């Protein structure tokens, strides 16, 4: 039974990758990721020149985050310093998450070569950030710095051009990170593969909006923020979306996929692999529970594979998609609700839900029948 995988030319000890975020901006964080079992880590997003300064503000509700902006991104010189230090003091593979200057291909190339020179093992092209460039496009305004993030990643052609330019300029593997706001995410992934990408990473955050203060002129409930933007929706709410999109990409490309988006435990990791991912990425879970979570996920994943008789990750990768079919071809079998009488409190919700099936019965009769 082996957890190790081959991912875009890198030999990883397990499929657990820490994705870029607030938890991958300092050397001590990278050290903790390595200590608790991460197979690789993607450093905080880096630019040739940071487009604007920002400080994290977010709305949290039951494990869900809406972030109109994340913390301070890195200028490339800061990213180089971080990568060099990590390569000197750790053995964990370092993935450099970068965003070039819109459709300026030469800028992408320059940035990629600089992080390669610093010692990065892999480059992740960020074509997916929902908080840079996309809002201007949605508001009908010209993006002040060209197409960035999710605005760029919504275009298969532009994504392919950027990927091809970087791949031809560097000697290390290049992966591309997908945005769920793309009209056809599988088409973008396929275009990146055609541009030479060694792997696909999916998904970054979709956009969300927060509740508002209905007694204060509808002011969105961000703390310490004047004005607001639609922000990246993070956490468990996006997991079903991530499953679907990884499954769609898996059917279109031959390169490996790093699948993530709301994964919080070992079971979610298994599910994502069954939708086609070779590696799985964690972000919000690390922010909530710390790097220590990775150790327990690794342990539980091993136990699961042993119980199921799987020898490797490949034994169950893509398993869910064997059952995928068109809605009109679904086969239906009769089902009967079973009520646990020890747990039932007689609330009647089940009767409200099922009265349309037996309109001739009273609600009371249906509740009694179910109980």
């Amino acid at each position: 039974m082996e957890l190790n995988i081959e991912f875009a030319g890198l030999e990883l000890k397990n499929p657990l990758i820490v994705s870029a975020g607030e938890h991958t901006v300092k050397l001590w964080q990278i050290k903790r990721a390595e200590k608790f079992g991460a197979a690789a880590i993607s450093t905080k997003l880096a630019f040739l020149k940071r487009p604007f300064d920002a400080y994290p503000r977010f709305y949290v509700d039951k494990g869900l985050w809406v972030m109109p902006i994340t913390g301070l991104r890195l200028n490339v010189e800061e990213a180089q310093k971080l990568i060099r230090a990590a390569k000197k003091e750790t053995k964990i593979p370092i993935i450099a998450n970068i965003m070039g200057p819109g459709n300026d291909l030469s800028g992408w190339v320059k940035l990629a070569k600089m992080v390669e020179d610093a010692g990065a093992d892999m480059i992740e092209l960020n074509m997916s950030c929902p908080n840079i460039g996309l809002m201007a496009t949605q508001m009908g305004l010209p993006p002040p710095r060209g197409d960035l993030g999710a605005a760029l990643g919504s275009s298969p052609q532009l994504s392919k051009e950027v990927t091809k330019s970087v791949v031809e300029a560097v000697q290390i593997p290049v992966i591309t990170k997908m945005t769920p706001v793309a009209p056809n995410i599988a088409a973008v992934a396929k275009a990146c593969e055609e541009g030479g990408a060694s792997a696909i990473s999916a998904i970054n955050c979709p956009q969300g909006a927060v509740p508002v203060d209905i007694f204060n002129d509808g002011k969105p409930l961000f703390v310490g923020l004047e004005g607001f933007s639609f922000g990246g929706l993070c956490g468990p709410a996006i997991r079903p979306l991530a499953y679907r999109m990884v499954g769609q990409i898996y059917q279109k490309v031959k390169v490996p996929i790093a699948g993530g988006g709301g994964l919080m435990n070992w079971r979610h990791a298994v599910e994502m692999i069954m939708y086609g991912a070779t590696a799985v990425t964690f972000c919000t879970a690390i922010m909530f529970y710390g790097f220590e979570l990775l150790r327990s996920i690794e342990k539980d994943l091993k136990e699961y594979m042993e119980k199921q008789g799987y020898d490797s990750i490949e034994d169950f990768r893509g398993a869910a998609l064997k059952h995928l079919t068109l809605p009109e071809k679904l086969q239906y079998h009769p089902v009967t609700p079973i009520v646990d009488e020890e747990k039932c409190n007689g609330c009647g919700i089940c009767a409200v839900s099922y009265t349309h099936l037996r309109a001739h019965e009273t609600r009371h009769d249906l509740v009694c029948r179910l109980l």
Side-chain angles (χ1 to χ4, degrees), residues 162-228:
V162 169
T163 303
K164 186 173 185 294
S165 296
V166 173
V167 167
E168 291 177 349
V170 300
Q171 303 301 312
I172 57 178
V174 174
I175 63 177
T176 53
K177 190 163 187 177
M178 300 291 98
T179 172
V181 307
N184 187 336
I185 193 171
V188 177
K190 183 63 178 177
C192 291
E193 180 185 45
E194 292 172 351
S198 298
I200 302 297
S201 177
I203 58 175
N204 206 325
C205 300
Q207 281 186 317
V210 300
V212 301
D213 186 345
I214 63 174
F215 301 106
N216 187 20
D217 195 36
K219 184 178 181 180
L221 294 175
F222 285 117
V223 175
L225 198 62
E226 189 68 30
F228 82 104

Side-chain angles (χ1 to χ4, degrees), residues 263-284:
L263 308 187
M264 305 298 286
N265 55 48
W266 71 269
R267 183 182 296 272
H268 299 160
V270 172
E271 290 174 343
M272 183 59 83
I273 293 168
M274 286 187 167
Y275 273 104
T278 295
V280 288
T281 64
F282 293 89
C283 183
T284 303

Side-chain angles (χ1 to χ4, degrees), residues 303-355:
E303 291 179 356
Y304 163 79
M305 291 175 62
E306 289 175 349
K307 289 178 181 178
Q308 294 298 115
Y310 292 131
D311 294 323
S312 71
I313 297 296
E314 284 300 310
D315 288 347
F316 57 98
R317 187 165 71 93
L321 296 172
K322 295 182 295 186
H323 309 286
L324 182 65
T325 188
L326 297 172
E328 58 268 28
K329 294 185 178 181
L330 293 172
Q331 298 181 29
Y332 299 90
H333 303 286
V335 294
T336 301
I338 299 175
V339 176
D340 186 332
E341 296 186 24
E342 293 184 1
K343 295 181 179 179
C344 178
N345 63 6
C347 69
I349 291 177
C350 58
V352 174
S353 301
Y354 283 96
T355 48

Side-chain angles (χ1 to χ4, degrees), residues 134-157:
L134 185 60
M135 272 296 293
T137 301
Q138 291 173 331
M139 295 173 68
L141 302 173
R145 301 163 194 87
D147 291 327
L148 294 172
L152 184 152
S154 296
S155 166
Q157 183 59 37

